[in-house]
C-alpha cells in the first residue's frame, strides 16, 4: 500500500454518496464468470447513453478494472472530502476507485484478514468524493462473504437500485448463482436482472454461433426465480481485445457480436430507472 494513502483514520459518513442517483451492485456466486467485464461494459454503455458513471471496485484481491479501462498506474489524490477517484476519460464521465491504484507495485498481493478488508470497503464507500453521478456500479468479489455483507451494510442507507447477477450457462455456475439470489433476498437487495455471460462463441468470419458452455441456463434461472433476464453476452474476441488493450469496446466495435447484447442490457437498466421514477 502506498504510504501516503495507508491511513484509515477518517470515519466514513456516506456524505460523498449524496450526489449518486442510482447504485447497482454486480454480483455472482462464483469467480470467473466475468463480473468485471460486465461492470465495465455496462458503465461504458451508460456513458454512451449520456450518463455520468462511477465504478467502485471492491474486489480487493483481484482489482482488474483499472487495466480494463486503461487506467492502471494512475495516482489517487486527496481533497477536503476524501479521495478523488481516477477519471477514465477527459470529459470525466467515468470515474473509478480501486485498490489497484493504492498498491506500490501491480503484482503486490492483498494478504489481509476480514476486519482489514471490511475497513477498506467502508472507507471506499464513505471517503471517495464521487460528486454528482447518474450511476455508481459496484464490482464485487465472488461469493456471499464478509465483504458482501459489509458492502451492503454500508450502501443500504442510500437505497441501492439493486443487483445485476452474472452467470455463465453451465449448470455448476447456475447453482452457485442461485445462492447469490438467496443472498440478495436475505439482504433485501432487489435484483435488477440476470446476465448470462460467455453465452456461445460467434465466429468472427462466418458468424455461426457455437454453444461452448451450453446455453439458456441464465434465462431458465431467471424464469424460475421470477426475476428479469437482461440478456446473453457471447464470447467475442473483439471484446477480449478491448479489455486487454483498455479500449472502449462500445465505441470501437459497434458491429461486433456482443455490442447489441451489452447496449440492450444498459437500455433495460435505463428503462427500469424510468419506470421506477
Amino acid at each position: 500500500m502506498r504510504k501516503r494513502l495507508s491511513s484509515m483514520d477518517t470515519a466514513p459518513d456516506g456524505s460523498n454518496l449524496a450526489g449518486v442517483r442510482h447504485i447497482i451492485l454486480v454480483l455472482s456466486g462464483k469467480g470467473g464468470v466475468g463480473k468485471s467485464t460486465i461492470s465495465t461494459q455496462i458503465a461504458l454503455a451508460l456513458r454512451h447513453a449520456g450518463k455520468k458513471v462511477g465504478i467502485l471496485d471492491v474486489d480487493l484481491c483481484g482489482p482488474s478494472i483499472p487495466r480494463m479501462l486503461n487506467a492502471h498506474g494512475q495516482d489517487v489524490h486527496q481533497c477536503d472530502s476524501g479521495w478523488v477517484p481516477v477519471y477514465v476519460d477527459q470529459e470525466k464521465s467515468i470515474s473509478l476507485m480501486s485498490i489497484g491504484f493504492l498498491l506500490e507495485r501491480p503484482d503486490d498481493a492483498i494478504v489481509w484478514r476480514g476486519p482489514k478488508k471490511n475497513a477498506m470497503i467502508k472507507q471506499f464507500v464513505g471517503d471517495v468524493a464521487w460528486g454528482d453521478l447518474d450511476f455508481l456500479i459496484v464490482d464485487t468479489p465472488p461469493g456471499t462473504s464478509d465483504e458482501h455483507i459489509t458492502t451492503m451494510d454500508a450502501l443500504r442507507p442510500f437505497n441501492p437500485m439493486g443487483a445485476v447477477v452474472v452467470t455463465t450457462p453451465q449448470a455448476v455456475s447456475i447453482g452457485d448463482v442461485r445462492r447469490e439470489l438467496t443472498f440478495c433476498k436475505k439482504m433485501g437487495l432487489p435484483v435488477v436482472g440476470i446476465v448470462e455471460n460467455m453465452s456461445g462463441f460467434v465466429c468472427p468470419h462466418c458468424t455461426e454461433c457455437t454453444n461452448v458452455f451450453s446455453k439458456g441456463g441464465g434465462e431458465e434461472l431467471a424464469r424460475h426465480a421470477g426475476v428479469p433476464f437482461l440478456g446473453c453476452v457471447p464470447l467475442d474476441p473483439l471484446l477480449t481485445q478491448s479489455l486487454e488493450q483498455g479500449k472502449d469496446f462500445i465505441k470501437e466495435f459497434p458491429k461486433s457480436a456482443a455490442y447489441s447484447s451489452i447496449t440492450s442490457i444498459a437500455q433495460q437498466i435505463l428503462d427500469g430507472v424510468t419506470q421506477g421514477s
Side-chain angles (χ1 to χ4, degrees):
M1 190 74 66
R2 294 177 183 173
K3 292 181 180 179
R4 62 186 178 83
L5 293 173
S6 61
S7 172
M8 297 186 187
D9 296 333
T10 305
D13 60 8
S15 60
N16 280 326
L17 290 174
V20 179
R21 295 174 182 82
H22 306 288
I23 300 172
I24 296 175
L25 289 85
V26 180
L27 302 171
S28 180
K30 65 185 283 86
V33 300
K35 288 185 303 299
S36 297
T37 297
I38 297 300
S39 296
T40 57
Q41 298 313 308
I42 287 176
L44 289 168
L46 289 172
R47 190 268 297 273
H48 283 289
K51 304 302 179 182
K52 194 171 182 181
V53 186
I55 305 176
L56 176 56
D57 181 5
V58 296
D59 189 352
L60 301 182
C61 295
S64 55
I65 289 186
R67 175 170 180 173
M68 290 180 174
L69 292 175
N70 196 29
H72 51 294
Q74 301 269 5
D75 286 330
V76 172
H77 303 284
Q78 291 179 299
C79 65
D80 292 340
S81 301
W83 292 344
V84 180
V86 169
Y87 293 101
V88 175
D89 55 356
Q90 292 183 347
E91 296 80 15
K92 296 186 176 182
S93 57
I94 294 187
S95 50
L96 171 62
M97 175 54 72
S98 170
I99 201 169
F101 297 130
L102 309 183
L103 302 176
E104 289 282 359
R105 294 172 296 275
D107 293 335
D108 284 350
I110 299 298
V111 186
W112 290 352
R113 295 189 184 273
K116 194 168 183 181
K117 288 183 179 180
N118 294 339
M120 177 56 77
I121 290 171
K122 290 177 182 177
Q123 190 163 18
F124 272 171
V125 170
D127 282 2
V128 178
W130 295 107
D132 292 330
L133 293 178
D134 294 301
F135 291 92
L136 177 64
I137 309 296
V138 183
D139 182 45
T140 65
T144 56
S145 58
D146 280 0
E147 291 117 300
H148 301 81
I149 298 170
T150 299
T151 302
M152 270 304 305
D153 286 345
L155 292 174
R156 186 175 284 111
F158 304 95
N159 299 315
M161 178 180 172
V164 170
V165 181
V166 183
T167 185
T168 50
Q170 61 266 52
V172 171
S173 178
I174 295 298
D176 289 337
V177 172
R178 187 177 290 111
R179 299 182 188 97
E180 194 72 48
L181 295 176
T182 303
F183 169 82
C184 291
K185 184 175 181 179
K186 287 184 175 181
M187 297 300 293
L189 179 65
V191 177
V192 176
I194 293 175
V195 173
E196 184 178 289
N197 193 27
M198 308 181 197
S199 181
F201 170 74
V202 179
C203 176
H205 304 292
C206 69
T207 71
E208 180 180 352
C209 182
T210 302
N211 295 321
V212 180
F213 300 122
S214 183
K215 184 175 175 61
E219 188 170 8
E220 179 62 28
L221 175 60
R223 187 182 303 112
H224 178 77
V227 300
F229 181 66
L230 299 179
C232 300
V233 179
L235 289 164
D236 188 336
L238 294 176
L239 177 54
T240 302
Q241 176 185 329
S242 296
L243 295 169
E244 290 290 327
Q245 299 177 0
K247 291 183 177 179
D248 183 342
F249 171 77
I250 303 298
K251 178 182 178 181
E252 297 281 340
F253 303 108
K255 296 182 180 180
S256 67
Y259 172 88
S260 59
S261 299
I262 294 167
T263 53
S264 173
I265 291 166
Q267 186 58 53
Q268 289 177 76
I269 292 172
L270 291 171
D271 291 344
V273 169
T274 302
Q275 292 171 8
S277 60

